[in-house]
Structures are given as structure tokens and as C-alpha cells.
Amino acid sequence: MSEVVVAGAYGGPEVLSVIEEAVPDPGPGQVRIAVRAAGVNPFDHKMYSGVFGTDPANLPMRLGAEAAGVVTAVGARANGPAGPIAVGDEVIAYRAPGAYAAELVVPASSVVPKPAVLSWEQAGGLMVTGVTAVHALEAIGLRNGESVLIHGAAGGVGLTAVQMAVARGATVLATASPAKHDLLRDLGAIPVAYGPGLAGRVRAAAPDGVDAAADLVGTDEAVDVSSELVADRARIATIAAFQRGARAGIKLLGGGPGADPGTDIRAAARLQLTEAAGTGRLRVLVAGSFPLREAAAAHHQIMTGHTTGKIVLVP
């Protein structure tokens, strides 16, 4: 039996609870993992908030999509993107439905080796924001020597996007509150405060212009300023402002209506992210960790929208 977090109804974090569920033996092409940390993401809350509907047939609903842990059993032909998987391997699993758990069974194709230099908390929070960041940079076609405007640069996706863009040789203009500017400078970006006058501040920081933009917060300001500063709408993408972005004619990414899920790009990004983290080119910042039984508190914190780095659950 394994402790798992479920939403027993639709609503706020108060509907979350921990129950016991049997953990099956892995079948062909599957592995069982003893979870050491599971990442918490805004999408997890949206799943039971009613944003995507309130079908009672989906309840109780397990939550989570990413985890890190130790392989405890393998089925036949348990091969992941990096090769065969064995009992005792330290791994990261994504996509891993129901990852808020002490143990889970996932397809071997979802499992990649955990970099030894990462803590369990870092490893458990690497993938969802990481693959989203890579997808955004691929979608806008960012290349060496170009400039990119990243909105929401101090958020979970933003911190990875900034670092991966810097690694590509880009000049990164990063919007954030002034309290986050020192961190962004340390990561190689040029921080810019959001709010009235943003377009003028970006122009002053990038007098040669802006080649591309990634909106990682979904505000009207992000869409409007990006559209004003970037000549080619095909080089602007949003992961959140789906209705506003559609009207503006920019790229929509992720799981929203009309958005490109980027399935192949995100799958390929997993080994790219573990390589970057393993060699120190990508820092994984953890804002805090909570016991599995305090998942509701973790969701209350992430719903503020002001965490710097990832929130994780630790069984």
C-alpha cells in the first residue's frame, strides 16, 4: 500500500486528502518507484479547481506529474530514453501521473537517470517547468547572438528559461519585481521591472531591439509589450494567455485551448535538462518542501504566484 494525495471534490486545497492505495507490480515496459520528492505545479491545482470541468466521474482525482526516487521493481523490457533501467537506479519520472505518492508505477519511457549532483527535492522539481521552458525557447526559435524578452522570469518556468537562453548565447531581458533582480543578474540576465512603462525600460536595456519574447505569466502587459517590441509575431509565445494570445496572433503553448502541446519537444528536453543540471549549467532552485500530508499547504503557497523556485512534496 502507498500513501497518495487525492482531490475528493472540486474546489480549493481544502478538498485534498491522503489515502492508501495498493501499488501493483510493474508490467512489461513499466517500473515501480519509491518516491523521494514530487514537484508541485500550478497545473495540479487547476486540475481539481474546476477550470477543466467538474465531471464527478474523475473523482477521487490523483495529482502530480513529476517525481524523483529509487526504482524498486522493473517489468520486462524496462528501457527508458537513456537505456535499460534496473532496481536501485536513482531516477526522475516525467510524465508521471499521480506523482503525489509514496510509490508509483510509471512507463519506463517516462524515466531518466537522476543527476548525482541534484538533491531529491531539486530532481523532483526539475521536469515540468524545465520542459516548458525548453518548449518556449524552441517555439520562438531562439538562436545564439539574439535578444529575448522573458516575462515572469523569476517564476519556476522563467528561472529555467533564463538559464537555458543564456546557455544558447542569447541576451536575456528578464521581467520581475525588483526584489528578484539580483538573482536574475546572477543567472546572466538583464532584469527589468514590470509595470507601467515596461516597453520603454526594455528599449533602454536593449537599444538594438528584441528578436523574440516568451510570456510565462499570462498578463495583458506581457502580450502587449511583446507585440509592441517584437516585429515577427511568430517569434512570440505564451504558456498562459491563451485567449489574449490568440487574438494577438502569437504562439500558444501547453495544455490550453488551441495550444501546441509540444509533446516531442518536451520529451526530448528531459535528457537535455538532466545533462545541463548534471554539469552545473542549470541551477534548480527549490523554494520549499512539504510533507505529503501537507499537500494543501503546498498548494496554498503556490497559488500566491510569488514563489521563487519550485515547491515539492516529500513522502
Side-chain angles (χ1 to χ4, degrees):
M1 301 293 285
S2 168
E3 288 190 334
V4 301
V5 175
V6 298
Y10 291 98
E14 69 279 355
V15 306
L16 301 182
S17 63
V18 173
I19 64 172
E20 295 274 346
E21 283 193 2
V23 183
D25 291 329
Q30 294 182 324
V31 302
R32 187 174 66 215
I33 299 171
V35 176
R36 296 290 185 263
V40 177
N41 297 283
F43 183 81
D44 302 339
H45 167 251
K46 292 178 182 178
M47 287 293 294
Y48 66 86
S49 69
V51 169
F52 303 118
T54 56
D55 185 351
N58 294 328
L59 300 173
M61 181 187 300
R62 287 187 59 167
L63 302 172
E66 61 178 341
V70 179
V71 175
T72 57
V74 299
R77 301 179 299 281
N79 296 306
I85 303 166
V87 171
D89 285 352
E90 296 186 348
V91 298
I92 298 173
Y94 171 80
R95 304 181 177 207
Y100 290 11
E103 285 189 282
L104 73 159
V105 173
V106 297
S109 59
S110 297
V111 174
V112 297
K114 169 190 168 294
V117 298
L118 294 186
S119 68
W120 287 117
E121 290 81 4
Q122 289 173 315
L126 171 64
M127 285 297 168
V128 169
T129 53
V131 300
T132 305
V134 172
H135 185 196
L137 299 183
E138 290 292 327
I140 61 178
L142 186 64
R143 298 181 292 271
N144 178 54
E146 293 189 319
S147 59
V148 59
L149 175 60
I150 297 179
H151 298 274
V157 178
L159 290 169
T160 302
V162 164
Q163 294 178 78
M164 299 301 278
V166 169
R168 291 186 182 208
T171 298
V172 180
L173 294 308
T175 74
S177 64
K180 310 294 178 61
H181 286 191
D182 284 346
L183 170 61
L184 291 169
R185 287 190 191 95
D186 189 46
L187 296 178
I190 301 170
V192 184
Y194 55 73
L198 174 59
R201 291 191 293 276
V202 174
R203 285 193 178 97
D208 294 330
V210 178
D211 297 300
D215 164 34
L216 309 179
V217 289
T219 62
D220 286 344
E221 175 188 70
V223 175
D224 291 341
V225 171
S226 297
S227 301
E228 179 179 345
L229 297 179
V230 179
D232 184 356
R233 295 293 173 90
R235 302 204 66 191
I236 307 172
T238 181
I239 67 167
F242 298 115
Q243 292 184 349
R244 184 72 179 80
R247 293 195 301 270
I250 65 177
K251 291 183 175 179
L252 313 179
L253 311 178
D260 169 21
T263 304
D264 291 341
I265 292 173
R266 294 182 182 219
R270 293 173 299 174
L271 291 178
Q272 180 181 343
L273 290 162
T274 54
E275 191 276 334
T279 57
R281 291 186 291 108
L282 174 63
R283 289 167 53 187
V284 183
L285 285 81
V286 176
S289 63
F290 292 79
L292 199 64
R293 288 185 170 275
E294 295 180 16
H299 277 220
H300 277 298
Q301 182 161 335
I302 204 165
M303 287 166 61
T304 68
H306 296 298
T307 57
T308 301
K310 289 299 293 281
I311 300 295
V312 297
L313 296 177
V314 179

